[in-house]
Amino acid sequence: MRTESNPRVLVTGAGGFIGHHLVTSLKQRGCWVRGVDIHPPEYTAVDADEFELRDLRRFDECLLATRGIDHVYALAADMGGMGFISANHATILRNNALINIHTLEAARMNGASRYLFSSSACVYPEHLQNEANVVPLREHDAYPANPQDAYGWEKLIAERLCLEYSGEYGLDTRIVRFHNIYGPYGTYDGGREKVPAALCRKVAMAEPRGEIEIWGDGEQTRSFCYVDDCFEGIYRLMQSDYPEPLNLGTEDMVKVNTLAEMIIALSGKDGLTLRHVDGPQGVRGRNSDNRQLRKVLDWEPSVTLSQGLEPTYRWIEKQVESGRPPGTTAPQQAVDQPGGRA
């Protein structure tokens, strides 16, 4: 029987890194889950009760995706690492605006009771992130607005849309701002990978006493949140009654050079060195302030960077050693709807 404690759930972006992990977690909690994406998961089998290939830039597809659904976890986005984000501003802004406007309106029209939007630390103003030893970012720092790029601007607009839908239509919305989520079974090659996966791949491919490339001087700083903590935080936020944007990350800030050295140590390869080259670096420093997260959820991420890097590196190392071409899809269960890639 469908109740608020036993809802029918939709995860958009269910073919992506966080999305497919979230589907599995919700299934383990006993939820009935429909996954929707423009492609199936790349590295795991479909784990949803229903998985539909749909292009959520189209409103008619969003109406079909949200039919009969109580709770929506809206994770679908056209995104990637800094190399992709910094070179595809118009594409990202167009695609993600269409996805989020259409999915939110379709959820409202189909009577969904709760809607979680996956935002990003990219909404924060660039001028607050110009130093490597950055002051951790609090949720209210997003305004006055000045995100770094089109990806951040679109996320901030979609946050506002969720808040306005809550005020005007009564749709119960949640907003989570991710800070650098990483883990196994995610993109590690092809230009859309994030820095932990990219560095794991480079180290796995390197010969002993070789070198790996780092974009910039490697002194830029970030904090990284393991994917298990990510979907635990998402679920806790959805179950809460907190309607405002909330950071989800760790407060353990490290330099990119340090991150690379940790991965090299995991690999056990002797004599690997770092070579710094020109390339997009994003902001100089970024870290999460988790005071509000602890207050709202009485919880915060607990997996340390060294604990999370171990399974992440081992999985990527296995992919590299197997010679499996990136993007080769694992065997899938049947899906319900044909579709293409964004």
Side-chain angles (χ1 to χ4, degrees), residues 62-77:
C62 291
L63 283 171
L64 291 169
T66 56
R67 70 194 187 281
I69 290 296
D70 302 304
H71 292 180
V72 177
Y73 291 81
L75 274 63

Side-chain angles (χ1 to χ4, degrees), residues 82-98:
M82 275 310 305
F84 177 77
I85 288 175
S86 64
N88 295 274
H89 297 292
T91 298
I92 287 170
L93 184 53
R94 178 192 68 237
N95 286 343
N96 290 346
L98 288 171

Side-chain angles (χ1 to χ4, degrees), residues 222-261:
R222 296 292 187 275
S223 61
F224 299 95
C225 180
Y226 190 61
V227 68
D228 286 12
D229 278 333
C230 175
F231 59 68
E232 178 67 22
I234 292 172
Y235 182 78
R236 287 172 178 256
L237 178 57
M238 184 64 117
Q239 304 311 306
S240 78
D241 59 1
Y242 190 70
E244 300 294 324
L246 191 67
N247 284 336
L248 179 51
T250 74
E251 296 177 321
D252 301 323
M253 186 171 68
V254 298
K255 297 177 181 179
V256 171
N257 284 335
T258 302
L259 176 65
E261 289 162 0

Side-chain angles (χ1 to χ4, degrees), residues 256-282:
V256 171
N257 284 335
T258 302
L259 176 65
E261 289 162 0
M262 292 174 70
I263 296 169
I264 290 171
L266 271 175
S267 75
K269 295 184 178 181
D270 294 329
L272 282 187
T273 58
L274 309 181
R275 180 163 67 94
H276 297 95
V277 300
D278 290 338
Q281 302 171 51

Side-chain angles (χ1 to χ4, degrees), residues 4-74:
E4 277 300 301
S5 61
N6 186 31
R8 287 170 63 90
V9 172
L10 168 66
V11 176
T12 72
F17 167 52
I18 299 174
H20 87 259
H21 279 284
L22 179 60
V23 168
T24 299
S25 175
L26 291 171
K27 286 292 298 172
Q28 290 171 348
R29 296 175 188 270
C31 296
W32 183 96
V33 182
R34 176 184 298 146
V36 171
D37 207 322
I38 205 164
H39 59 78
E42 285 189 280
Y43 307 109
T44 63
V46 169
D47 203 18
D49 294 279
E50 294 177 358
F51 192 99
E52 299 178 357
L53 296 180
R54 297 194 182 279
D55 185 344
L56 297 178
R57 295 171 299 184
R58 294 173 44 181
F59 184 56
D60 59 335
E61 294 277 75
C62 291
L63 283 171
L64 291 169
T66 56
R67 70 194 187 281
I69 290 296
D70 302 304
H71 292 180
V72 177
Y73 291 81

